[in-house]
Amino acid sequence: MKSDVRIILASGSPRRAGLLKEIISDFDIVPANVEEPVPGWEVSQAPEVWVESLAYLKAAEVAQAHPHAVIIAADTVCVHSGRIIGKPKCVDHAKHILTHYFSGASKVITGLAIVSPSKGHKVITHDVTELDMRAMTNEELDAYLESGAWEGKAGAYAYQEGGDKFVDNIIGSESNVVGLPLELLRELLESF
């Protein structure tokens, strides 16, 4: 997909940048300066509201300095048994997440915001991918924790870095699990 408009990805995630390159050849990266979670927000909010709001805050923050560009921002969480499972803070937190919330049915929800302030356009939505995960053996858990693949990943696992071997079934977008639902994004950009 080519565009005459400057497109900015409001993320420092190399995974999101790699995914975006699959559908857009030329874009800039300007990471948003938004603290997660936002102070004062209740994590008890519906996960869809949570990720859409954070994606929009990221897009809006970058758009302030780049009002003539099209800004793309995303935020991803895992949801297990109705609980939002964010990024682990340390290896012990990752172990807790992977031990208590990893196996069984879960959802990956990515909020997506596309804004173009100079054109007055704004789209905020989300995508959901359902996963059935198998429990890790103790040896797999230890190896996974030692690998560091859990760092900076919602739900403490990296689907694209070997985490897919723990998935028994997936319904929905695989790129959404990595952090950017390409099918939805392409559709939105074409209509944008």
Side-chain angles (χ1 to χ4, degrees), residues 8-17 28-32 58 62 72-74:
I8 296 175
L9 176 63
S11 174
S13 165
R15 295 167 302 284
R16 285 197 178 112
D28 295 319
I29 296 172
V30 179
K58 292 174 183 180
V62 171
I72 300 168

Side-chain angles (χ1 to χ4, degrees), residues 16 25 31-32 36 41 51-52 55 58 67 90 105 122 142 166 173:
R16 285 197 178 112
S25 58
E36 297 178 47
W41 279 24
V51 293
E52 285 184 9
K58 292 174 183 180
C90 63
K122 171 175 65 175
D142 290 342
F166 305 111
S173 168

Side-chain angles (χ1 to χ4, degrees), residues 149-182:
W150 55 270
E151 294 182 77
K153 311 295 190 308
Y157 72 93
Y159 181 83
Q160 72 284 6
E161 295 173 22
D164 59 336
K165 68 183 174 188
F166 305 111
V167 177
D168 286 334
N169 189 36
I170 183 169
I171 300 171
S173 168
E174 286 188 60
S175 64
N176 184 49
V177 179
V178 180
L180 193 63
L182 292 182

Side-chain angles (χ1 to χ4, degrees), residues 12 26 33 37 39-42 46 56 67 83-84 88 94 103-104 114 117 122 132 135-136 149 155 160 166 177 186:
D26 187 28
N33 189 21
W41 279 24
E42 291 294 325
Y56 178 68
R83 289 188 58 172
I84 294 174
S103 65
I114 306 171
K122 171 175 65 175
D132 286 320
M136 293 180 180
Q160 72 284 6
F166 305 111
V177 179
R186 177 180 282 140

